[in-house]
Every structure is written in C-alpha cells, then in structure tokens.
C-alpha cells in the first residue's frame, strides 16, 4: 500500500498537480497518480521545471516526478528559473544507479547526484526504506515554505516489502486513426523584425498574462510596454512555453507566450501542449530564423523547418502563419479558444533596448500578485 500512502501524503500537503516522466521503479505510483491529481505527462524532464513554475506562480501546488537521471537534463532550468526567481519545486526522483542497478548507463551520473546537488546548493533528502516515508512531507513542505527546489531521492528499496493492490491494468487506447493534412504555405521575404511584432502585440494586450522569451525579446517587451502581468525570462532556454502551459492550467486568465523558433526547436513541449489542450493559451512563435540574442546565428527554421507545420504535427489544431502587421492584427483579433499557435515570420535583428531594471524577485512578486488578482 506504499504507493497509496505516498499519494495520501501529497494530497494532505495540498498538492493538486503532478508533472511526471516515468521510471520503471515507480510504475505502480505512476499508474495511481491520475486517480488523485491532475497528471501532466512529460516528454522531457526539464519541461516539467517550467510547467511547475507556471503552475506555482498562478497559485497551484505541483510536484515534479522523474527518474534521477532526468535531473541531469533539468539542472540549468532549475538553477536559472527555480533558484533565480525563488520558486517552489518539490521533486520526487526515483534514484537509479545505486541499489541493485542492472543498467550500466544508469551508474555514472546517478552515483554522483548527491554531490552534484550539494555543489549547486540544491537541498536533497535521501529516502531509503519505508521508515523514511515521512521525509516526503519534509521535501514538499520545505520547497513551499522556503520557495526553493528540494529533491527527494527515493531508492528502489523504499518500495520493497509490500504487495500493492494496483489498479487493474487498462487496455491501451486505440491507436487506429487516420492522419491527413492538407497544408500549403508560401513564405514571403520578411518585412517585420521581432520588435515590430512585439510592439504590435503589446499595444493590443488587455488582461492577458504574458511570458516573454529569454534575452532580447524580454527586453523588447519591457521597452514596448511594461506591465505587472509580463513575466520576463532572464535565463532558462526553452522554458517559455512550458511556463506558459503551467500558467494556463492554473488560471482562467488568457495566457500568451512570446516564444522563438530557436527555443521551440529545442524543446519537446508542443505535444504536451496539444495533450493538455488549454483553451486559454496562445503561443506566438516569433520566427526570425535566428538565435537573435546571441548574434543572429541561423536556426533550422531559417530555410528548412516550417514552425507552423511543426505545431500541427505535434497535435495543435488552431494554427496560422502571418507575415506582416496587418496579418498579425487579424490573427490576434480572430483568436478563438485554443491552444492557438501564431507563427510570425520575421527578419533577423534586435532593437537597441536596455536591460530590464527589475530584480528576479521583483518580476516574480508583481507577476504573481497580478495573475492571482
């Protein structure tokens, strides 16, 4: 009954959402999570960091569950988002590579996990056996009380010694379906720069919460129209859309993500957006075919990848492509219940804008007050 007891503890602590990428050592736990909580099924662990950040800022109380090897994929997001902005993030990690491990590839990173976490100043608690069950409470409570990440490293030995009455195995959902796509788009030579699109959108904002991508896009939004409902990212490459997804799952307010082709090509979050299908989410892909903040180096979207088609292939149904300010205004005004994906084709280039004169905690505090107000 240990899996059920763990979920009882999470529920008693007020947890309402579990973002999860499974481990075979916790497959029975994974089977029970959707019975008790909103379960967000991840395709990459670091996207869970952004999703949980958005959920927490909007007032939800998430937990992130992963295999400990996924911590390696998530460390930059944890440090540059969770730690930098002072956000709560309890992580329950199935600790591989230590106890009766049969897979050699699990050993090198996972045996060093405690040292890595100590070096980064990330609190962690080792949960070895059933007598340590109460430590799970401490992991979750400390993360929320101290507004920081806290990792519970759960050894496989913790789950031993009980016969869990797991839910009857359900037959897999039918996969037979027809996949058909009628799609033809013509890319014109771009006439807008990213700053033109951001200014046009900023002028049209009403009560939407906005997540702006890292680097110059956040600076351009600040210069165009600073608002308490703007969340300016200062790091955490690829995490703009995950943050926006988390926000949209925890608020009735419309949420807009100003993301880029480079960061969207580096994440696996679009299928998760399609699966969750929040009606209040709009992703604006500002596609200038370049990593703009680092010197306009070309991305694969510069002449190969069609970002709208990528969103369609991920399962997002409401998509469009715009290539001038008139088309952008029309797409913005004609948004329906989403998720919406607006692909804006742009020329490279950065506006001459200064740094954002706000500390990370200031950005967080005013944003949280506004989105919960």
């Amino acid at each position: 009954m240990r899996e059920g007891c763990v979920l009882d503890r999470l529920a008693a602590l007020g947890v309402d959402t579990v973002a999860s990428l499974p481990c075979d050592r916790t497959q029975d736990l994974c089977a029970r999570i959707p019975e008790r909580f909103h379960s967000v099924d991840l395709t990459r662990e670091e996207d869970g960091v952004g999703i949980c950040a958005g959920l927490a800022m909007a007032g939800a109380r998430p937990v992130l569950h992963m295999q400990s090897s996924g911590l390696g994929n998530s460390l930059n997001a944890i440090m540059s988002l969770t730690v930098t902005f002072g956000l709560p993030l309890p992580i329950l990690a199935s600790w591989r590579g230590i106890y009766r491990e049969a897979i050699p590839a699990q050993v090198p990173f996972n045996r060093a996990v405690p040292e890595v976490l100590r070096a980064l100043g990330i609190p962690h608690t080792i949960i070895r056996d059933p007598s340590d069950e109460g430590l799970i409470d401490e992991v979750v409570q400390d993360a929320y009380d101290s507004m920081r990440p806290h990792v519970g490293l759960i050894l496989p030995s913790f789950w031993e010694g009980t016969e869990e009455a797991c839910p009857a195995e359900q037959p897999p959902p039918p996969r037979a379906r027809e996949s058909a796509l009628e799609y033809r788009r013509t890319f014109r030579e771009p006439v807008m720069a990213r700053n033109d699109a951001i200014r046009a959108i900023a002028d049209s904002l009403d009560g939407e919460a906005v997540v702006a991508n890292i680097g110059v896009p956040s600076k351009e939004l600040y210069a165009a129209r600073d608002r308490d409902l703007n969340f300016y990212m200062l790091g955490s490459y690829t995490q703009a859309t995950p943050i926006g997804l988390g926000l949209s799952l925890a608020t009735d307010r419309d949420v807009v993500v100003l993301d880029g082709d480079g960061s969207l090509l580096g994440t696996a979050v679009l299928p998760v957006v399609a699966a969750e299908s929040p009606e209040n989410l709009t992703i604006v892909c500002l596609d200038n075919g370049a990593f703009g903040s680092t010197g306009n180096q070309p991305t694969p979207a510069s002449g190969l990848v069609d970002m709208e088609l990528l969103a369609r292939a991920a399962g997002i149904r409401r998509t469009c492509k715009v290539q001038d300010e008139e088309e952008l205004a029309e797409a913005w005004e004609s948004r329906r219940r989403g998720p919406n994906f607006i692909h804006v084709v742009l020329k490279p280039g950065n506006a001459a804008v200064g740094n954002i004169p706000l500390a990370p905690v200031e950005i967080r505090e005013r944003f949280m007050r506004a989105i919960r107000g």
Side-chain angles (χ1 to χ4, degrees), residues 10-18 37 52 55-64 88 90 137 140-145 250 372:
L10 296 182
L13 290 163
V15 171
D16 48 34
T17 307
V18 178
F37 307 99
C52 287
L55 285 162
M57 286 193 290
R61 201 168 169 90
V63 162
L64 179 56
D137 296 33
V140 176
Q141 201 63 55
D142 176 68
Y144 281 97
D145 288 347
R372 298 184 188 188

Side-chain angles (χ1 to χ4, degrees), residues 79-197:
M79 296 303 293
S80 60
L81 177 59
T82 311
V83 172
T84 297
F85 285 93
L87 296 168
L89 181 62
I91 301 174
L92 299 182
S94 175
W95 191 13
R96 299 294 300 273
I98 302 297
Y99 180 80
R100 296 181 180 176
E101 182 58 66
I103 301 176
Q106 292 282 6
V107 175
F109 174 75
N110 284 304
R111 68 183 176 187
V113 162
E115 295 175 36
V116 171
L117 295 175
R118 276 193 292 270
L120 294 173
I122 299 174
H124 69 280
T125 298
I126 297 175
I127 301 168
R128 293 182 171 84
D129 55 51
S131 66
D132 291 335
E133 187 179 298
L135 295 177
I136 292 173
D137 296 33
E138 296 181 18
V139 169
V140 176
Q141 201 63 55
D142 176 68
Y144 281 97
D145 288 347
S146 302
M147 299 287 281
R148 64 182 183 179
H150 193 138
V151 179
L153 294 172
I154 306 178
L155 283 164
S157 53
F158 173 78
W159 306 105
E160 291 182 347
T162 62
E163 291 294 329
E164 177 73 4
C166 288
E169 186 171 345
Q170 299 297 314
R175 297 198 63 200
R177 66 193 192 278
E178 180 177 312
S179 181
L181 179 66
E182 293 183 9
Y183 182 89
R184 181 180 293 274
R185 300 287 191 271
T186 299
F187 283 76
R188 305 192 300 270
E189 198 61 36
V191 295
M192 287 190 296
R194 185 188 53 234
N195 189 52
D196 300 323

Side-chain angles (χ1 to χ4, degrees), residues 1 6 17 43 65 120 164 172 186 200 208-209 214 226 234 244 247 278 291 306 343 346-347 356:
M1 300 291 291
V6 169
T17 307
T43 53
H65 166 254
L120 294 173
E164 177 73 4
T186 299
E208 300 93 342
I214 61 171
D226 180 39
L234 305 177
L247 290 169
F291 292 105
D306 182 337
H343 178 204
L346 304 166
K347 58 186 177 182
I356 298 170

Side-chain angles (χ1 to χ4, degrees), residues 20-335:
S20 179
L21 202 154
C23 173
D24 72 340
R25 301 298 194 271
T26 56
Q27 57 184 290
D28 292 340
L29 179 73
C30 293
R32 287 186 170 274
I33 287 171
E35 297 177 352
R36 306 288 299 276
F37 307 99
H38 181 177
S39 178
V40 179
D41 297 327
L42 304 172
T43 53
R44 186 169 173 83
E45 296 90 350
E46 67 180 326
D47 290 339
V49 177
I51 291 168
C52 287
L55 285 162
M57 286 193 290
R61 201 168 169 90
V63 162
L64 179 56
H65 166 254
M66 64 173 71
Q67 186 181 118
S68 58
S69 55
L71 290 167
N73 297 333
S74 308
L75 288 174
N76 178 64
I78 292 170
M79 296 303 293
S80 60
L81 177 59
T82 311
V83 172
T84 297
F85 285 93
L87 296 168
L89 181 62
I91 301 174
L92 299 182
S94 175
W95 191 13
R96 299 294 300 273
I98 302 297
Y99 180 80
R100 296 181 180 176
E101 182 58 66
I103 301 176
Q106 292 282 6
V107 175
F109 174 75
N110 284 304
R111 68 183 176 187
V113 162
E115 295 175 36
V116 171
L117 295 175
R118 276 193 292 270
L120 294 173
I122 299 174
H124 69 280
T125 298
I126 297 175
I127 301 168
R128 293 182 171 84
D129 55 51
S131 66
D132 291 335
E133 187 179 298
L135 295 177
I136 292 173
D137 296 33
E138 296 181 18
V139 169
V140 176
Q141 201 63 55
D142 176 68
Y144 281 97
D145 288 347
S146 302
M147 299 287 281
R148 64 182 183 179
H150 193 138
V151 179
L153 294 172
I154 306 178
L155 283 164
S157 53
F158 173 78
W159 306 105
E160 291 182 347
T162 62
E163 291 294 329
E164 177 73 4
C166 288
E169 186 171 345
Q170 299 297 314
R175 297 198 63 200
R177 66 193 192 278
E178 180 177 312
S179 181
L181 179 66
E182 293 183 9
Y183 182 89
R184 181 180 293 274
R185 300 287 191 271
T186 299
F187 283 76
R188 305 192 300 270
E189 198 61 36
V191 295
M192 287 190 296
R194 185 188 53 234
N195 189 52
D196 300 323
I198 287 177
R199 285 190 169 277
I201 292 169
D203 288 343
S204 301
L205 292 172
D206 187 7
E208 300 93 342
V210 179
V211 180
N213 197 18
I214 61 171
V216 180
S218 277
K219 298 176 187 179
E220 290 176 345
L221 178 62
Y222 180 86
R225 186 181 174 191
D226 180 39
R227 306 156 63 241
D228 288 356
L229 278 167
N230 293 351
F231 184 76
Y232 303 112
M233 292 180 61
L234 305 177
S236 317
Y237 171 63
T238 75
Q239 291 304 295
T241 291
I243 294 169
L245 174 57
L247 290 169
S248 69
L249 295 175
T251 181
D252 293 330
R253 189 185 296 272
D254 284 347
V255 176
V256 176
V257 180
L258 302 180
D259 214 334
D261 52 301
S263 58
L264 282 170
L265 287 169
T267 180
V269 77
L270 290 180
V272 184
V273 171
E276 291 295 319
S277 198
E279 293 185 345
N280 58 336
L281 178 63
T282 295
I283 301 167
V284 181
C285 176
L286 299 169
D287 172 12
N288 58 10
F291 292 105
S293 296
T294 59
N296 291 313
Q297 298 88 354
T299 73
S302 63
L304 179 64
V305 176
D306 182 337
M307 298 302 296
E308 182 191 0
L309 187 55
L310 189 69
R312 285 274 192 100
I316 298 174
R317 297 289 172 245
R318 301 193 187 282
T319 71
C320 65
K321 192 181 309 299
V322 302
Q323 304 190 59
D324 58 40
E325 290 196 33
E326 182 178 344
E327 292 175 355
L328 177 56
E330 181 180 349
W332 184 263
E333 293 302 322
S334 62
R335 285 177 300 155

